[in-house]
Amino acid sequence: MPLISTLSNASARGYGFTGGLAITNSYESIQTVTLGSTQTTISFTSIPSTFKHLQVRGIARGTFASTNLNLCMQVNSDTSNSYTYHQLNGDGSSASASGGSAQSFGFVGRIAQANATASAFGASVIDILDYSDTNKYSTIRALGGYDANGNGMMTLMSSAYIKTDAISSIQIFGNLGDLVAYSSFALYGIRG
Amino acid sequence: MPSTYTPIATTNGTGSSSSITFSSIPSTYTDLILIVNGATASSTGNPCLRFNGDTGTNYSRTNLGGSGSSAYTDRETSANRILLIGGVYFSNTLNTNLIVHIQNYSNTTTYKSTLCRANKATDAVDANVGMWRNTAAINSLTFFTASGFNISSDSTFTLYGIAAA
């Protein structure tokens, strides 16, 4: 019997002398936050430094009196002007691009707001590469958007945290207003 | 530690059918990811998605893409399916790649959102957000070509579940 065998689902099984099984995964769930009521910010704290990359996946809707707004991210509760961003957007009528430097947050998606079709939420898949590497800035990449059957926006976003600090916490919030109940984000760690 | 990113089912096209259905999807995951590498058996078709067998006009989408010469965007409203592309098509000449994220698919409170990246070197790149205006949990999904052209037998479809803590 081999000491280590691989499985088809990219996990591995190891056999120890005690006869116990140890199963490891390269993509692990770290934390999940689902709002039970309106709240300004969704936070992930005490993020372990033992992964290679992070992924955040979720849905959100805001309270602001518009149809849609950007979803924003800060890390380490850092509200200083230490973020840059670029975005490519399509709203069904026109494709556009924009960017900025020395911002107080990065952009990670586009979500429905109070004036959008009820029960419509925006969705985002956010990747943070090399988040614990103190030799480089952190890159944040997002695929996101919302559609509300008559208005909507698809967006590709890239942000950078212009500090070499390891990321130990993440804050997600709407550009204006709060996030409604059932807004939900899950943090995953990817091993390298 | 429990598996987080789990293959639920995988299947191939048959060459004699224009649709693929994943049914009895367990509700125990948080998100679904559908990965497609496929083509039509003949001619060109538009890849589409439906949920729970719903053929009503309960779908919509907004698309952003680039053709190599320009960026474009378009939208569909009150459609009877989510059209997963804007300029990237299924054809019998070159495979098309699609990765479709279906977020929080099993909650019974929100309308369901999809995010899709589609790529085909001879056509374009597309990014697409879709909505199914139904709060029901998704328990089946059907991938099909809008034109009804059959999916080639070497097309692969894999459905993954991602489980949050």
Side-chain angles (χ1 to χ4, degrees):
Chain A
M1 175 185 294
L3 290 177
I4 298 291
S5 62
T6 57
L7 302 175
S8 60
N9 64 350
S11 62
R13 179 173 294 146
Y15 295 88
F17 290 108
T18 61
L21 297 179
I23 300 176
T24 61
N25 287 290
S26 55
Y27 187 99
E28 296 181 19
S29 176
I30 301 174
Q31 297 175 30
T32 302
V33 178
T34 300
L35 298 183
S37 60
T38 298
Q39 191 167 301
T40 302
T41 304
I42 285 177
S43 298
F44 296 107
T45 59
S46 303
I47 299 171
S49 62
T50 50
F51 298 99
K52 180 64 173 174
H53 309 302
L54 299 175
Q55 185 172 83
V56 179
R57 306 175 60 90
I59 60 171
R61 181 182 172 99
T63 63
F64 195 72
S66 70
T67 56
N68 67 94
L69 284 173
N70 275 351
L71 185 68
C72 308
M73 176 182 281
Q74 290 170 334
V75 298
N76 298 348
S77 298
D78 190 340
T79 61
S80 66
N81 295 332
S82 300
Y83 305 83
T84 66
Y85 77 92
H86 286 88
Q87 56 183 350
L88 176 63
N89 300 323
D91 66 359
S93 297
S94 61
S96 62
S98 64
S101 59
Q103 305 292 304
S104 60
F105 45 77
F107 289 138
V108 290
R110 196 78 176 182
I111 59 173
Q113 297 288 328
N115 295 348
T117 300
S119 305
F121 278 54
S124 285
V125 177
I126 305 161
D127 294 302
I128 307 174
L129 308 181
D130 292 327
Y131 73 103
S132 64
D133 190 329
T134 57
N135 298 302
K136 60 180 75 170
Y137 300 152
S138 293
T139 299
I140 304 166
R141 183 180 76 168
L143 173 73
Y146 90 101
D147 185 279
N149 194 39
N151 57 83
M153 182 175 289
M154 182 68 221
T155 182
L156 302 174
M157 291 173 163
S158 178
S159 298
Y161 178 51
I162 310 299
K163 289 185 179 179
T164 57
D165 300 353
I167 292 174
S168 60
S169 70
I170 293 170
Q171 296 76 44
I172 297 171
F173 51 95
N175 202 1
L176 292 168
D178 298 324
L179 301 177
V180 303
Y182 301 105
S183 297
S184 179
F185 285 89
L187 174 67
Y188 300 89
I190 300 170
R191 297 195 182 279
Chain B
M1 190 167 297
S3 179
T4 306
Y5 197 125
T6 306
I8 298 173
T10 188
T11 189
N12 279 26
T14 64
S16 57
S17 173
S18 61
S19 67
I20 296 287
T21 295
F22 292 95
S23 58
S24 302
I25 298 172
S27 62
T28 49
Y29 300 101
T30 304
D31 300 335
L32 299 173
I33 298 180
L34 175 66
I35 296 181
V36 178
N37 184 15
T40 53
S42 64
S43 197
T44 299
N46 294 341
C48 303
L49 206 59
R50 284 187 179 132
F51 299 116
N52 293 8
D54 183 4
T55 59
T57 54
N58 300 312
Y59 304 90
S60 55
R61 73 108 169 80
T62 300
N63 191 79
L64 168 68
S67 65
S69 60
S70 63
Y72 55 83
T73 180
D74 67 303
R75 167 178 297 130
E76 275 194 326
T77 59
S78 298
N80 62 5
R81 75 286 187 270
I82 294 175
L83 178 61
L84 292 170
I85 52 92
V88 176
Y89 300 95
F90 255 41
S91 73
N92 60 331
T93 58
L94 184 69
N95 275 20
T96 298
N97 303 139
L98 299 103
I99 298 178
V100 187
H101 302 266
I102 306 165
Q103 308 282 80
N104 291 72
Y105 73 101
S106 64
N107 88 73
T108 55
T109 303
T110 71
Y111 291 161
K112 302 305 179 287
S113 298
T114 64
L115 294 171
C116 177
R117 281 288 313 273
N119 308 279
K120 185 173 166 210
T122 53
D123 289 349
V125 292
D126 279 327
N128 179 302
V129 53
M131 183 176 69
W132 180 41
R133 290 191 315 284
N134 196 311
T135 58
I138 292 173
N139 54 51
S140 75
L141 68 87
T142 300
F143 178 98
F144 63 100
T145 59
S147 54
F149 290 110
N150 292 333
I151 298 168
S152 73
S153 58
D154 61 358
S155 298
T156 60
F157 300 80
T158 304
L159 184 67
Y160 296 88
I162 294 183

